[in-house]
Structures are given as C-alpha cells and as structure tokens.
Amino acid sequence: MNYLDLSKDELAKERARVLKEYEKLKALKLNLNMARGKPSIEQLNLSRGLLDVINSESCCTLKDGTDCLNYGVLDGIPEIKELFAPVLGVAPNQIFVGGNSSLSMMFDIISFFMTRGVPGFEPWTRQGKIKFLCPCPGYDRHFAILEHFNIEAIPVPMTITGPDMGIVENLVAKDRTIKGIFCVPKYSNPQGITYSDETVKRFSALPHLAGDFRIFWDNAYAIHDLSDTPARLLNIMDECEKNGTQDLPLIFCSTSKITFPGAGVAFLGASKKNLSAIKNFYSAKTIGFDKINQLRHVRYFKDYRGLLSHMKKHQDILKPKFDLVTNALKSEFSGNKIISFTDPTGGYFISVDVMPGCAKRVVALCKNIGLILTDAGATFPYGIDKKDSNIRLAPSCPTLDELNVAIYAFCVAVKLATLEKLLES
Amino acid sequence: MNYLDLSKDELAKERARVLKEYEKLKALKLNLNMARGKPSIEQLNLSRGLLDVINSESCCTLKDGTDCLNYGVLDGIPEIKELFAPVLGVAPNQIFVGGNSSLSMMFDIISFFMTRGVPGFEPWTRQGKIKFLCPCPGYDRHFAILEHFNIEAIPVPMTITGPDMGIVENLVAKDRTIKGIFCVPKYSNPQGITYSDETVKRFSALPHLAGDFRIFWDNAYAIHDLSDTPARLLNIMDECEKNGTQDLPLIFCSTSKITFPGAGVAFLGASKKNLSAIKNFYSAKTIGFDKINQLRHVRYFKDYRGLLSHMKKHQDILKPKFDLVTNALKSEFSGNKIISFTDPTGGYFISVDVMPGCAKRVVALCKNIGLILTDAGATFPYGIDKKDSNIRLAPSCPTLDELNVAIYAFCVAVKLATLEKLLES
C-alpha cells in the first residue's frame, strides 16, 4: 500500500488501524533506545582481554627506555603510532596520540587555532566572524563544538559520493572567513556514505582562499566495516602530498568503538608543520596522556592484523542488527513511498528520511511509547532540519530481540506521523 | 667560613680550591637530574596493585547501573567523587572528575572562560587585555598556560604565610582586568609553604573588583606530607561559604603523584554555579573521561583511610631524600651566609635562593658536570627572575646514592658561582 495513492477516507481508515497498533505498543511500556552509537555489552566483552595485558608484574618500559608508569612523552608512545599508522593512513612520525577522545582533540585544536592561530596565520578570534562547512546530515557533536566557539556552521548537502563538492569548492574559493569543514569520510554519520575517490581528490586540491583553512577529517569508522567487501576510502594524505597540500587535512580516529568507549585512545594524523604546531600548543596544556593505556592497546592487538581480526568480531555482532533494521524497513515500507533510508556497509548508523514535516512527530511518537531516538534535527547545525525529515537510527546497542520490537515501533510511528500529515493537508 | 667576610685574596684562594673539586666532579661524567618533580621507580612500584584490581573477569557496573566499559557520565563516577571529596574539601556533588591531568583542566577552564566567559559575564577574550596574579616563586606550567592565552602574568611575592595578601588585595580591589590568581596553597611549588589560616581567610573575603575573578587553587600536594605532623591548610570552600564567596575558588588536585603520573585521575571542586557552567562547557568537548581508570582507583584505595595509608608509603620513601638534601645544604653552608633554602614538611621541592645574579650560573655550572636542574628563572613568569637568585631542587626521582653526589655537586657549583660573583665585584 502506497499512502501517497490513498484517498482521504482510505487514509483515515488506515490511520485508525495504525493507531490501534500504536496503542498496543504503548501498553507494552517499552524501554528501548536507538539514540546513540553505543557498542553493545557483547561488543564490549570482545575487549575484556585488554584489561589483562598489563598487571602489577608487567614491565612497562619501552624499547627507547620510556617508563610508561611515569611522566613524559607528550605525543604518544612509538609503539602505538606504529600500530595505528595504517588506520590513519600516515607515517608513524605524522601521528599525535591524545587522550581518550578524538572529539576532544578536535575541540582542543579548534581552541588552539582560535587562540593562537593556524601556524603562520592570525588567531581565528582576531579575524572577526568565521565559518565552518558542515556536510548534512552530519554529526551533532561536531556542530556542538562550532556552537561552543561561536563559529557559524554552514550546511552543505551530502550526495551519495560525499559532500556536494561543487558547493564546497565554490564557497571556500570565494570566502576567506570559511576556516574549516567537518568530514566523516568513511561510513559517514549518519548516512554511512563513503566519499568517492573523486571527492577525496577534489578535497586534496581544494581551491581555498583562506590559507588557514583546514579539513577536519574525522575518520571515526576507518576500520568499522559491516561487510566482507568493505568500502575503500582513498588516502587523503597521499593525495594531498601529490598536490603539495599536505597541511590541509587533520585526520582523526580513536578506539572508542574498537575497545572501550571513553577508555580508549585517540589519534591525530597530520603534516609535519601542523603536527609541530599542535604539539607545541599541547605542551602548554599537559605533560602527556595515559601511556599505560596506550601500551595496553599495543600489547592487546600486537599488530595491524590483530586489530583487523578484532574488528571482524565487531562486524559479526553488528551485521545482523543492521540487517534486521534494513530488512524490517524494506518489508514494512515495500511499495509505500513515504520513506527512504540508507543501507550502509559500515559505521554505526542508518539514516532515514521520512516525509517532510514528519521527523519531529515520529521521534515524539516513539518517545511516547518508550523508544528513544536521536532528536529530530540533531543531524543538522543548530538542530534545524529545515525539511524536518531526517532521523538517525543507531542499531548497535539493543539486543536483536529489542531491535525487533524497536524497529516495528519505529515503523508504526512513521506510518502514523505520515498519515496525520497526509490527512491534515 | 663565611664568603662574605673574606678578602679578595682569600676568595681567590677558595675559588682555586673549589674549582679543583668542580673539575674532579666533571671527570666523573655524571648523569643526574633534579629538574622535575617526578616520582621515583620505588614510588611507582607502590601503585602497581592498581593494575590488578580490574581485569577481564571484573564486573565494571556501578551501583547506579552505569557500565564503566561504555560511554557516559561526563562528570565522573559517584564512587570516586566520594573517595576524593575529603582531599578537595568539598561535598561529592561539588566535584567534576576529569582526565589524567589537573593542569589540563586548568587550561580547559581558562579556555572556556576566554571563549564563553565565567557564568554571567562576558568572555574574557572580549574584555581586552586581562591579567592573572602569580605568587612567585611559583609553578612554571601555570605561567605557560597564561602565556599560551596571552594573559599577562603579574608576579606577587611569596611570604612564609603565602602570597603577600596586602599586595593581592590592593591589586584585585582596583583592577577589573585582573581575572585570576594561581595558588598552590599547601606545600607550594617550589617553596613548600602552606598558606596560613589568615591567608586563606583573606582569600575567601577578597575584595575583587572583577565579578569574574577566580582563584585557581591548585592543591596538588593536598595529602603529600613528609612529616607525621603535617601542615594543616584551612578549607577554603568552608571559609568562602561563610562569606557567600563560594564562586571564587576552583579547587584542583590529581593522583599524578599518588599513583601513576600521566595515568591517574584529576579533580575539580567548585560551587554549584561554577560546576554547572563548567560541566556544560565540557559537554561540548567530550562525552566523558576514562571511567575504568576512575574505578581502578576506587577499588585500589577502597576509602580515604586507604588513600592516606598509601601516602604514608610515599612519605617513607621521600622523607630520607629531602632530609639528605637539606642536611647537606645545612652542613655545606654552615656559617656561610651565601644561600638560603626551605626545609618543607611536604610536597616535591626545595627552594634555594643563592646570591643575586648567581642562579643562572649555578644551573649552567651544574649542567656542565652532568647535573640537570630546573632552569633558573623557571619559577617566575616569562622565565624572568629579576634577582637571578631562585633555584628549584626536586629530590624525588634520584636514588639516595645519586642524591648524595648530586647535592654535593650542587653545593660546589653554588660556591663556585658565588666566588666568581664576589671576585668580580
């Protein structure tokens, strides 16, 4: 049944039917959450061995003589740079290892650039109003950083090959106040889109007017595949080096969704020039980050192959959940053209577009029956989705049984909201 | 022998004698370091049990249901707030638990105030040139934060009861651009001075013109006693609450010198108003800090008594080192009034004042024979000790045998530099 083909009477009848389903769900007093990209307990258990590799008997002295139990080493231990170099796609000596959060590093670096400036340029705070580009839908916590610093966020539409590069190029070529762009280039949050080779190449040759423009390349899902034929992201640093634009990208990743969220390790990959400035800024902020935890990660994974085989275990847990959700959406909306959604081969999210004007209502209807979703609008700067259409689903945390109920409840809410909308017009 | 009573001839003769001692030391090709307040390997070993209390079999779920292995809890787990409340001298609900570094939290909070302002006030960046007071000699990393943010550091002389409060009161009462002061109120860095009750009371009633003035109360050595009759620091929050000035202090401490430097936990104690604003700022920067490491500390120490008995073990290791240094200084300079030094009952440093114009030369002479000291001047903002007199000694890291040689070498260097100075005048 395609709601778009129904008469008002048919719509009203269908609404009555769906409302009954909704009331039944309400009676179940559900307590379900698909709001955040949280790993499940099963996934967390994959990394419990990390808690054994260093104990009171362990030698924590590195090859270079560093005692990981004591002060020192601002930019991270060499062993973990080696391990994560292939994840970041840069050489080990192009890596700064931070604390437990890549988000926090992005915040810090923007703070450094605001206060002290990109190396060779005036601090951003002394340049008047500045702006960042935000491919949308995107990650709410990127937008929150910009709001904190009062940096204007300019939405740029996403396409299936990444941000609309025509728009990006046009804007940064003309406007000196645009200082950066937030990208999640692989399995983007929330759509799961991987930037095409052409998109990466165009980023590496971006005709930017502001010399202190930087690409915040948040490769959060670099090795977070849901398929045995994973998406392949072109190495942006390689491309930039070909073009002499190696100072453009700042590449981030972390182990938040590899080992333990909040108790992992975050990384920055950057050109020598950027790295040296950032290291200098960090030297005013801290003596160093948690080297014991860095060493734990090295001893647990041993090498890149160990890391990838660990990620395969995450995939085995996550794939059935994503399949369940996308299959339910396909089957519930078969022929009913009131919804579109992504079917990603990696990452943590499924992005759903409902009929314009319905997203907020869907999220509210879900909340009312005990299913928490990401707030409608959260995938856009300032929480404003002009179409009120995009909803982000995070299937990782609930069990398969819970997901079964949650996605059914979601579909009922989408139908109800859409019927209401169609009836009011 | 008091050098100040000697004739030029006698001085020259003594210099020849001391130079020989110096040359002998040089021949030993020493490799000693008294520069930083680093715990020794023996001290680090005290905390190795911390690495066993959580392993792959551990339940990491808290009483309130929080899974420490997953995302969540921005401001720290309740259990560690409870444990460290008596260290900070505030209620558990007045605590924000940060990452591994209290220095980093001070940096963050100044960054927040620069960008967004103290709650209820304009951001500091929009108020033109601003200033901080810096009791001197003081901690070089405090000064580095101010330099990073281009905040002018105004030196305030230390007395044996803390900063000269007459000067502090006079300055902050008149100057709206003075926004803060850095204090190490117990066993101050580098002098080991504990602020008197009167000093704390005067801080709690500070007649500050700037409503957004804050006291950065870096209580780094809160429980780091070297004596069984430790210094007692009046609780600043209690005093402030009596005066209705509870928004003035921001109280910091960390476990860097309790467990593992760099792999510990940092804390902020503050009024509800300050805490709520700071928590809000941090929510733009991170999802949360390392809860597993917080839980480790809780399970290892169990309670405040456990923490104090652990600190007693540090004391047992540190006290002989401090005694060795102060005894050597006393004996080497008995009757020779060319030096004064502190004999602290806690903390990590001994502060030495040599004859004006000699500190840089002493540090250089030491370096030349393989003994690294904190740079002369480091204890003053911008590295400028106008008198060129203060030197900070950090006796914690070397072994007793090493210290024996190091302090002898230091004394020889002090004598040589002083003789040079006396001979040139």
Side-chain angles (χ1 to χ4, degrees), chain A residues 17-80:
Chain A
R17 191 190 67 75
V18 173
L19 197 57
K20 272 187 196 159
E21 290 186 61
Y22 183 77
E23 293 301 335
K24 273 187 209 162
L25 281 164
K26 196 173 180 180
L28 294 177
K29 295 189 189 300
L30 301 174
N31 181 16
L32 298 168
N33 195 315
M34 292 177 81
R36 306 295 318 180
K38 266 174 92 162
S40 62
I41 292 173
E42 221 182 336
Q43 285 177 273
L44 299 175
N45 286 340
L46 294 177
S47 301
R48 281 186 164 265
L50 187 73
L51 303 170
D52 290 333
V53 291
I54 293 183
N55 60 38
S56 60
E57 306 291 318
S58 303
C59 171
C60 296
T61 304
L62 306 181
K63 267 180 277 177
D64 68 3
T66 301
D67 184 352
C68 290
L69 304 183
N70 217 330
Y71 281 118
V73 192
L74 176 62
D75 57 343
I77 66 174
E79 284 81 350
I80 202 163

Side-chain angles (χ1 to χ4, degrees), chain B residues 239-303:
Chain B
E239 294 306 309
C240 286
E241 276 166 4
K242 286 179 204 163
N243 294 325
T245 57
Q246 61 274 13
D247 293 337
L248 268 182
L250 300 168
I251 306 169
F252 300 88
C253 75
S254 84
T255 69
S256 290
K257 291 181 181 85
I258 297 175
T259 58
F260 298 122
V265 183
F267 304 88
L268 163 70
S271 71
K272 272 190 191 167
K273 192 171 156 190
N274 284 328
L275 212 58
S276 139
I278 287 166
K279 198 173 153 175
N280 182 42
F281 293 144
Y282 263 115
S283 74
K285 179 170 157 61
T286 186
I287 300 174
F289 296 96
D290 186 342
K291 296 186 296 300
I292 300 179
N293 208 32
Q294 293 175 15
L295 189 60
R296 254 185 217 110
H297 282 74
V298 170
R299 295 209 172 144
Y300 186 58
F301 291 120
K302 295 187 179 72
D303 54 27

Side-chain angles (χ1 to χ4, degrees), chain A residues 39 48 51-52 54-56 58 69-71 100 104 108 116 145 148 257 261-263 284-285 288-290 296, chain B residues 39 48 51-52 54-56 58 69-71 100 104 108 116 145 148 257 261-263 284-285 288-290 296:
Chain A
R48 281 186 164 265
L51 303 170
D52 290 333
I54 293 183
N55 60 38
S56 60
S58 303
L69 304 183
N70 217 330
Y71 281 118
N100 69 329
S104 198
D108 284 340
R116 300 287 300 275
I145 292 177
H148 177 92
K257 291 181 179 86
K285 178 170 158 63
F289 296 96
D290 186 342
R296 256 186 215 107
Chain B
R48 281 187 164 263
L51 303 170
D52 290 333
I54 292 183
N55 61 38
S56 61
S58 303
L69 304 183
N70 216 329
Y71 280 118
N100 69 330
S104 196
D108 285 339
R116 300 288 300 275
I145 292 178
H148 176 92
K257 291 181 181 85
K285 179 170 157 61
F289 296 96
D290 186 342
R296 254 185 217 110

Side-chain angles (χ1 to χ4, degrees), chain A residues 355-375:
Chain A
M355 188 172 282
C358 290
K360 277 202 176 105
R361 178 67 180 149
V362 169
V363 172
L365 283 169
C366 286
K367 192 179 175 189
N368 191 39
I369 53 173
L371 169 61
I372 306 300
L373 301 178
T374 311
D375 281 344

Side-chain angles (χ1 to χ4, degrees), chain A residues 405-420:
Chain A
V405 182
I407 194 62
Y408 170 67
F410 174 73
C411 291
V412 168
V414 170
K415 287 177 189 172
L416 192 52
T418 311
L419 289 162
E420 287 172 358

